[in-house]
Amino acid sequence: MVKAYQRYTPRTIFGVVASGNSNIIYDAAGKYAISPTLEDISIWDLKKGELVGTWHDSDNKAEVTCIARSTDRDSYAVGYANGSIRIWSMKTSEVLVTFNGHRSAVTALAFDKSGSLLVSGSRDTDLIVWDVEGEVGLYRLRGHKDQVTSVRFLSRPSMVEGGKPTDGYVLSSSKDTLIKLWDLSTQHCMETLVAHRNEVWDCDVNEDETMLVSGGGDPDIKVWKINASVLKTGLAVGEEAKEVGEEEEEHNALDEDGKLVNAVPKAITFYGSIPRQSKERVTTLEFHSSQQFLGCQASDKSIELFRIRTIDEIKKKMSRRKRRQREKAQQLLKKGDTEGAAAEEAAIGEEGIQATDEITPWHIIRTGAKLRSFDFAPVKDVEKVGHVQLVTSLNNNTVEVWTVPHPNAAKNEEVADEPSKAYTLELAGHRSDIRTVALSSDDELLCSASNNSLKIWNVKTTSCIRTMECGYALCCAFLPGNRHVIVGTKSGHLELFDLGSSSMIESIEAHDGAIWSLQIRPDRRGLVTGSADKEVRFWDFDMVEEEVGSSVKKRLSLVHMRTLKMSDDVLCVRYSPDQKMVAVSLLDATVKVFYHDTLKFFLSLYGHKLPVLSMDISSDSNLLVTCSADKNVKLWGLDFGDCHKSMFAHQESVMAVQFVWNTHYFFTASKDRTVKYWDGDKFENILKLEGHHGEVWALAIGTYGNIVVSASHDRSLRIWQKTEDQVFLEEEREQELDDLYEATLTASFEKSGMVDNGEGIIGAPSTSNGDELASAGKQTLDTLKSGERIMEALEMADAEIDAWKAYNAAVARGERGLSKPQRSPLLISMRQTPEQHVWNELQRVRPAELDEALLVLPFAAVTSLLNWLDVFVQREYNINLVCRVLFFLIKSHHNQIVANRIMRPMLDSVRRNLRAGLQKQKDVIGFNVAALNYIRRDYEANNTSEFFDEEALRKDEEKKQDSEKKRKFLKM
């Protein structure tokens, strides 16, 4: 009989407010903060400090690296560490579209003004432009040599007065020190700015697209002017440039030899530098939506806010400066320094507006910990609100909201002129690594402790019930009754906490060194502690009386009973459940076992190459499991101290091990970010639980093994739930091999570089790596499977059609006794014709993956699919999809199709039918547009009334008494 185990699956993640690998942003209304929490996105109500929603995709394990808000107020683009991008809906909390194109983490995202295009930059140095509504990748732009750090859309100003601007350009900055301007109409790099001496970390463009700011490791922010007239023409040449670029004549100066200098005007020109206070590199640069402020955040604890002056303020400043210079010149003249005075007079005439005149320092916000990112609240009318608000995410798992009074509001004496902290989100997580966790005996409460804080969580709701200050915690446990928690600290203190009053009731100086381990005695009347001072101490619980005011109350305390001195630092102490023995692991990599009653030595277990970090004894007191920094787990018999089995368990140090009660199954947690489930009788690995993004420090198992809690360096707590789903070891091993094969398969696709080599053959590898343009897609396992499904559908449909053709031909020849061809059982079960089956498989492929799926098809399958497309056109199926598939196939396989004359009649037929179909679509659209225009005109005629201005009428009558009276109309 094959043994079956029960599967553990992830139930919930909590303890993270904002993870450090991505930025935080406001929602469109400025009420909620959208923060990254490892692989999920959390939505926090900033006023209440509550979690109001989570965006979780069960297929995704990669961490969030970038978030961007769309202009439609509902969609948010989220980039992940594996290169995928998901568009989430705020209303439904569901994924609208998934894009796969980048080969490594997405580092920059930006929507255009209409919200229909999205541009993404990545660590793989590529930019990809995506069509959000069409759900496809348009093209890939190559040119940067290092990670892309930020991207922004620029509109192409309209050629016609009052016409709508079209999105024509993308700005990108990179760690290769360059800022590039890409023209999307020609899909190439139009300008490259050698902006900084070192990496450019962020850039931003103001609302009316006249100014660009960029920042890196330099001690200042660079400011650039954007020339709208150059953006209007792009790289137009000849007559077209003459018509639009006449005002550019002044750029084209002549040098001494009479040659034309600076013949091509630059779209972006350097304006000046603004010094900043911080010595660290810039992390985030952002213009406020009101265009009055600029925020600059460095990679330390400060955000510098700059104010952008209005034209009137700049003029006043300039006139003041000129007045001062004139006064200085007059003083020099009085002293008789005519040369100095002349120089001052010359300077007065020359000076123009500088960047420092327009942008001036305003405030500095200083936070308690290092900043990760910030975002301005999307409020345009800041004067009405009276303050500027911004949300910041800190590196210590905290979100803070700051308000800065508006300069006009700050003129009133009542309002303090300094930035103030409005709200803080910090209760829902620890400030530093969680070093220890413990579950109460009824699995209702969870205790987690880190440096300086101890938190009690409700396991069902995962909400934080209590937060108390403690020392640097290394181990903890609930005391019998679940009303008290005891914590062992790095300083050697035992701290006793009462949950009812949320207070520390006693701190005992228990050891001279760090307390690495403690365990409650099986009879529940005391506990044992092991410390780096080479001692194991045994304690009993006791009730002591203390005076509270006039009354005397009893409270819980600990009494020291016995001490066992060891030869080396004690790392872990464990009782056997029958309380006959105590096992002690030492820094010399051995485990010593003693009798509990007499503390007489019983066994020494050696074999580990490095110290044993944790151990546990099974509930029948027969097996001892040890885990060590040498990555191994060993199982020992406690009767003779023999090693049953040594297993190479993890890729890094194994930090914790624990048996499930009443079984010989156990869990291990390791620095390799995984938790593993083992069978201690068969010495087999049952399950590997992946999900943490940092080293797993601690582990706690429910009383009957229904839940497992793991705590990690990424500050998250994860609960793994036991399910009814059965696990068979052979199937698990096969699945692991399949996953490994699939990972290497997609990696090999990435290396082969499926790009467009300029000859229209998109599937072929690129011959030259210098191409700026490539296809946007990426082969993934999903695209491979979709391609295979289309191939299978084509084979089945062709076989069915061929069988019927052969049968009909035989009947026509007059053959008798023929049986009709057997239909495919699959088609009968789905109640579909071959044609419907092929069409359904094509429709099933996601639009974003369609191109890559079609690349999988061999040429024989392509010719078959083209035949079917002719049928779909005649049947008037979804013409958009048919056209997209048809054009892509012809573009990809152009050379073979041209060389193959047999396909000519079929392609002619497709062309005829497609034109008729498209004309029909055009007629329908034209009819609908005309009808909508009629409805609009009708609405305007019925809902617009004319307003007579009586005062104007009276004046007209007075002026023109003799002529006819004229009325002045104003439309409302």
Side-chain angles (χ1 to χ4, degrees):
M1 179 70 184
V2 180
K3 187 160 189 187
Y5 304 88
Q6 281 175 294
R7 186 180 295 282
Y8 282 82
T9 56
R11 185 177 101 186
T12 182
I13 313 161
F14 57 101
V16 186
V17 181
S19 50
N21 279 352
S22 172
N23 58 318
I24 187 169
I25 62 167
Y26 269 105
D27 74 323
K31 186 183 176 186
Y32 301 120
I34 292 162
S35 78
T37 46
L38 303 174
E39 69 265 38
D40 294 347
I41 298 281
S42 294
I43 301 162
W44 300 91
D45 186 321
L46 293 170
K47 276 189 181 173
K48 296 178 182 172
E50 291 174 2
L51 181 68
V52 291
T54 304
W55 297 344
H56 174 75
D57 188 352
S58 52
D59 299 336
N60 172 51
K61 292 258 183 359
E63 199 169 346
V64 173
T65 54
C66 189
I67 311 172
R69 181 175 66 240
S70 172
T71 48
D72 68 358
R73 302 177 69 86
D74 180 50
S75 320
Y76 293 82
V78 179
Y80 294 86
N82 60 0
S84 64
I85 300 165
R86 288 174 176 77
I87 311 277
W88 290 87
S89 165
M90 184 83 170
K91 286 176 192 163
T92 60
S93 296
E94 287 176 2
V95 180
L96 302 174
V97 196
T98 303
F99 294 127
N100 278 302
H102 290 291
R103 288 167 178 78
S104 56
V106 179
T107 52
L109 288 167
F111 281 96
D112 70 341
K113 283 186 175 173
S114 65
S116 59
L117 289 182
L118 171 72
V119 64
S120 60
S122 163
R123 208 167 279 163
D124 63 9
T125 76
D126 291 351
L127 294 169
I128 300 182
V129 180
W130 308 90
D131 179 355
V132 177
E133 287 164 0
E135 300 185 15
V136 290
L138 299 177
Y139 39 83
R140 184 188 299 265
L141 300 169
R142 292 194 166 131
H144 285 294
K145 299 285 185 288
D146 204 338
Q147 172 184 325
V148 178
T149 52
S150 77
V151 286
R152 294 288 182 276
F153 272 100
L154 280 181
S155 311
R156 183 191 294 274
S158 177
M159 297 280 192
V160 189
E161 278 298 317
K164 286 188 179 176
T166 54
D167 283 297
Y169 300 94
V170 163
L171 265 171
S172 63
S173 69
S174 165
K175 283 165 83 171
D176 62 7
T177 76
L178 303 176
I179 297 176
K180 284 180 180 283
L181 177 67
W182 305 83
D183 187 342
L184 297 189
S185 55
T186 55
Q187 295 156 20
H188 77 288
C189 178
M190 181 174 141
E191 258 180 47
T192 299
L193 306 178
V194 184
H196 295 257
R197 296 268 175 95
N198 44 28
E199 297 163 343
V200 184
W201 278 96
D202 200 10
C203 67
D204 197 16
V205 179
N206 64 353
E207 187 94 355
D208 48 11
E209 295 180 358
T210 55
M211 194 192 295
L212 162 71
V213 290
S214 62
D218 309 333
D220 50 16
I221 302 167
K222 300 263 193 289
V223 187
W224 310 77
K225 278 286 183 196
I226 299 171
N227 189 337
S229 52
V230 177
L231 293 184
K232 193 183 285 188
T233 55
L235 282 185
V237 287
E239 294 300 318
E240 190 186 341
K242 270 184 196 167
E243 286 170 22
V244 190
E246 279 162 5
E247 64 268 27
E248 296 303 327
E249 291 299 321
E250 65 265 18
H251 289 283
N252 306 339
L254 297 173
D255 68 358
E256 292 88 16
D257 305 332
K259 288 178 183 171
L260 206 59
V261 180
N262 195 10
V264 179
K266 295 283 184 206
I268 299 172
T269 48
F270 185 62
Y271 183 37
S273 295
I274 304 166
R276 55 192 186 88
Q277 300 262 328
S278 174
K279 300 284 181 282
E280 297 290 323
R281 67 170 175 83
V282 171
T283 313
T284 316
L285 273 171
E286 192 184 332
F287 278 102
H288 191 270
S289 53
S290 69
Q291 300 312 304
Q292 298 175 20
F293 310 103
L294 168 68
C296 169
Q297 173 231 322
S299 63
D300 54 9
K301 301 177 181 180
S302 69
I303 299 173
E304 292 176 47
L305 296 177
F306 298 88
R307 201 159 68 77
I308 299 168
R309 290 195 172 112
T310 59
I311 302 223
D312 297 340
E313 288 174 316
I314 295 169
K315 281 179 183 170
K316 278 182 191 170
K317 191 179 180 194
M318 298 277 288
S319 63
R320 274 204 304 274
R321 189 191 297 148
K322 282 179 182 173
R323 195 165 63 242
R324 276 200 302 272
Q325 282 174 334
R326 282 198 195 95
E327 286 167 6
K328 196 175 177 186
Q330 284 167 1
Q331 284 171 357
L332 287 169
L333 270 174
K334 281 177 186 174
K335 289 177 185 174
D337 186 355
T338 50
E339 286 179 13
E344 283 292 334
E345 285 291 340
I348 293 169
E350 283 171 15
E351 271 199 24
I353 299 176
Q354 298 166 348
T356 45
D357 297 334
E358 195 169 340
I359 299 172
T360 175
W362 183 39
H363 279 302
I364 297 180
I365 294 174
R366 300 196 188 278
T367 55
K370 257 196 175 183
L371 282 152
R372 169 58 190 84
S373 70
F374 83 96
D375 187 34
F376 281 118
V379 180
K380 287 199 174 180
D381 193 359
V382 273
E383 287 188 36
K384 190 178 174 185
V385 179
H387 61 256
V388 177
Q389 196 176 55
L390 48 115
V391 64
T392 61
S393 65
L394 275 56
N395 271 357
N396 67 352
N397 196 22
T398 312
V399 170
E400 291 180 352
V401 179
W402 289 79
T403 57
V404 187
H406 192 274
N408 298 353
K411 284 174 188 170
N412 307 336
E413 279 72 30
E414 299 111 43
V415 183
D417 192 24
E418 287 304 305
S420 60
K421 198 189 297 182
Y423 317 110
T424 308
L425 298 177
E426 57 180 6
L427 285 180
H430 284 275
R431 305 285 74 75
S432 54
D433 288 17
I434 302 167
R435 296 307 301 261
T436 171
V437 287
L439 278 163
S440 61
S441 57
D442 54 4
D443 296 349
E444 293 283 324
L445 298 177
L446 170 70
C447 153
S448 64
S450 66
N451 181 10
N452 293 334
S453 82
L454 167 78
K455 285 184 181 284
I456 309 296
W457 308 82
N458 181 331
V459 174
K460 275 185 184 163
T461 61
T462 66
S463 56
C464 179
I465 306 168
R466 298 272 188 278
T467 301
M468 294 166 270
E469 280 191 21
C470 66
Y472 195 126
L474 295 174
C475 51
C476 68
F478 276 93
L479 298 192
N482 300 331
R483 293 193 180 177
H484 298 82
V485 170
I486 191 151
V487 174
T489 67
K490 206 171 185 175
S491 60
H493 286 70
L494 276 176
E495 296 180 348
L496 190 59
F497 292 90
D498 178 26
L499 300 189
S501 62
S502 312
S503 60
M504 187 199 296
I505 52 175
E506 193 174 5
S507 177
I508 303 162
E509 286 188 33
H511 290 271
D512 297 333
I515 301 175
W516 287 109
S517 177
L518 65 83
Q519 196 192 12
I520 306 294
R521 215 161 59 209
D523 66 4
R524 303 164 75 80
R525 292 186 178 179
L527 56 90
V528 61
T529 57
S531 163
D533 64 2
K534 306 181 185 179
E535 287 185 348
V536 177
R537 294 195 173 194
F538 297 86
W539 309 77
D540 276 3
F541 299 133
D542 191 21
M543 299 299 284
V544 294
E545 292 182 348
E546 65 173 18
E547 287 185 16
V548 180
S550 57
S551 60
V552 177
K553 284 191 176 179
K554 285 191 173 184
R555 68 163 177 81
L556 190 67
S557 182
L558 295 176
V559 181
H560 177 218
M561 304 303 286
R562 298 184 289 175
T563 303
L564 176 62
K565 291 198 182 296
M566 307 302 296
S567 59
D568 217 327
D569 290 18
V570 177
L571 295 181
C572 188
V573 190
R574 286 291 177 267
Y575 277 110
S576 64
D578 59 10
Q579 210 174 310
K580 286 184 179 172
M581 298 179 195
V582 176
V584 181
S585 85
L586 304 177
L587 197 62
D588 61 7
T590 62
V591 176
K592 305 273 197 289
V593 185
F594 299 88
Y595 289 106
H596 174 247
D597 46 3
T598 59
L599 297 186
K600 211 168 119 186
F601 177 74
F602 173 46
L603 291 170
S604 179
L605 313 175
Y606 51 90
H608 282 291
K609 296 179 184 68
L610 289 169
V612 173
L613 301 176
S614 178
M615 56 183 175
D616 198 26
I617 299 173
S618 64
S619 49
D620 57 6
S621 304
N622 288 341
L623 282 180
L624 170 72
V625 63
T626 57
C627 67
S628 159
D630 62 10
K631 308 173 190 175
N632 288 317
V633 166
K634 291 184 192 285
L635 282 152
W636 315 79
L638 273 181
D639 36 9
F640 306 111
D642 54 325
C643 180
H644 289 188
K645 185 76 174 174
S646 177
M647 297 178 283
F648 180 73
H650 289 270
Q651 303 300 319
E652 291 282 344
S653 306
V654 190
M655 301 305 295
V657 63
Q658 196 176 340
F659 273 107
V660 178
W661 183 257
N662 220 6
T663 66
H664 284 176
Y665 307 150
F666 61 90
F667 283 89
T668 56
S670 161
K671 276 189 181 178
D672 68 1
R673 308 179 176 190
T674 59
V675 175
K676 288 188 178 180
Y677 183 33
W678 304 81
D679 184 345
D681 293 328
K682 293 192 170 185
F683 318 122
E684 289 272 10
N685 177 19
I686 304 166
L687 282 176
K688 184 177 173 184
L689 307 176
E690 291 174 308
H692 280 292
H693 297 276
E695 298 92 338
V696 186
W697 293 122
L699 196 64
I701 298 178
T703 313
Y704 301 107
N706 290 329
I707 58 167
V708 177
V709 180
S710 55
S712 160
H713 170 69
D714 60 22
R715 300 187 187 135
S716 71
L717 289 156
R718 284 170 195 258
I719 298 181
W720 311 84
Q721 179 85 39
K722 191 181 191 178
T723 61
E724 295 299 316
D725 188 15
Q726 291 193 320
V727 177
F728 298 98
L729 293 181
E730 277 186 20
E731 286 178 14
E732 280 301 303
R733 295 300 87 81
E734 281 173 19
Q735 185 62 44
E736 279 173 23
L737 287 172
D738 285 352
D739 292 345
L740 193 66
Y741 169 68
E742 286 168 1
T744 52
L745 191 68
T746 47
S748 67
F749 268 116
E750 284 174 22
K751 280 174 193 154
S752 67
M754 310 274 280
V755 295
D756 185 348
N757 64 359
E759 296 171 12
I761 308 166
I762 294 180
S766 173
T767 46
S768 66
N769 290 328
D771 291 347
E772 279 189 350
L773 188 65
S775 68
K778 177 179 86 166
Q779 282 287 8
T780 61
L781 213 69
D782 291 339
T783 61
L784 284 178
K785 286 177 179 171
S786 302
E788 285 170 1
R789 283 205 307 271
I790 294 171
M791 274 161 61
E792 284 168 11
L794 287 169
E795 282 169 15
M796 190 187 295
D798 289 348
E800 185 113 344
I801 296 295
D802 291 347
W804 275 100
K805 275 183 184 170
Y807 171 74
N808 290 336
V811 169
R813 288 197 300 271
E815 294 180 22
R816 297 196 175 176
L818 293 171
S819 59
K820 286 186 180 180
Q822 277 285 322
R823 283 200 67 194
S824 161
L826 184 66
L827 291 178
I828 295 169
S829 67
M830 295 203 289
R831 297 180 181 177
Q832 287 178 345
T833 62
E835 164 196 326
Q836 286 169 335
H837 183 52
V838 175
W839 179 245
N840 280 358
E841 286 302 335
L842 268 181
Q843 277 187 311
R844 269 182 69 187
V845 184
R846 287 188 195 143
E849 294 170 357
L850 185 60
D851 292 1
E852 302 299 319
L854 293 173
L855 281 180
V856 176
L857 305 182
F859 190 65
V862 170
T863 51
S864 165
L865 184 52
L866 286 170
N867 281 315
W868 283 108
L869 288 175
D870 192 18
V871 177
F872 300 151
V873 171
Q874 290 169 25
R875 297 277 195 283
E876 295 184 5
Y877 287 169
N878 180 351
I879 202 127
N880 293 350
L881 180 59
V882 172
C883 287
R884 196 179 152 199
V885 173
L886 177 66
F887 300 155
F888 183 79
L889 290 177
I890 290 174
K891 190 176 162 189
S892 318
H893 301 278
H894 182 256
N895 294 356
Q896 287 146 299
I897 290 172
V898 170
N900 189 340
R901 289 187 179 177
I902 306 161
M903 296 176 73
R904 176 80 192 266
M906 182 264 292
L907 286 172
D908 275 338
S909 164
V910 171
R911 185 178 62 184
R912 272 196 315 277
N913 294 327
L914 189 60
R915 283 198 175 165
L918 287 171
Q919 187 59 47
K920 203 167 181 181
Q921 285 276 62
K922 190 180 169 188
D923 293 344
V924 169
I925 291 168
F927 180 81
N928 289 339
V929 168
L932 288 168
N933 280 331
Y934 169 74
I935 291 166
R936 191 188 71 197
R937 285 197 303 273
D938 185 55
Y939 176 83
E940 284 174 358
N942 292 331
N943 289 281
T944 309
S945 58
E946 290 172 342
F947 168 67
F948 295 88
D949 187 348
E950 294 215 353
E951 187 66 27
L953 279 175
R954 194 170 52 75
K955 282 178 184 172
D956 278 359
E957 281 171 13
E958 286 171 6
K959 277 183 188 174
K960 300 180 181 179
Q961 296 250 329
D962 50 341
S963 64
E964 289 182 358
K965 291 177 184 175
K966 289 186 179 178
R967 292 181 175 183
K968 192 171 186 181
F969 297 130
L970 287 178
K971 291 275 183 180
M972 284 289 282

